[in-house]
Amino acid sequence: MQNVRLNVQGMSCGHCVNSIEGALGKLGAEAKVDLQSGSVTVYFDETKLTLDRIKETIEDQGYDVV
């Protein structure tokens, strides 16, 4: 398992948390959103999921990975 912390812009509420954590959960990753710091920590199996796919999934939810 690998973990990565991403800075994400546009998150402000519980809906944002559920949207991102839910979408990444469907990919088989575990995500923890921190609204205060504007970050998402993602735990994933690098043999099954790429960092690019994680970023793309977050952006598909309407947020910007910076």
Side-chain angles (χ1 to χ4, degrees):
M1 291 293 276
Q2 180 176 338
N3 70 49
V4 64
R5 184 174 178 258
L6 302 170
N7 293 319
V8 179
Q9 292 181 338
M11 303 182 302
S12 62
C13 64
H15 170 74
C16 302
V17 173
N18 293 336
S19 177
I20 292 172
E21 290 181 356
L24 291 175
K26 288 179 182 176
L27 294 179
E30 181 181 334
K32 180 68 178 162
V33 174
D34 184 342
L35 293 176
Q36 189 96 5
S37 68
S39 67
V40 179
T41 302
V42 186
Y43 302 90
F44 64 101
D45 182 344
E46 65 275 8
T47 64
K48 297 179 181 177
L49 189 59
T50 66
L51 183 56
D52 285 340
R53 181 69 179 117
I54 290 168
K55 290 178 180 179
E56 180 181 293
T57 299
I58 293 170
E59 290 176 347
D60 285 347
Q61 299 305 305
Y63 308 98
D64 295 316
V65 179
V66 293

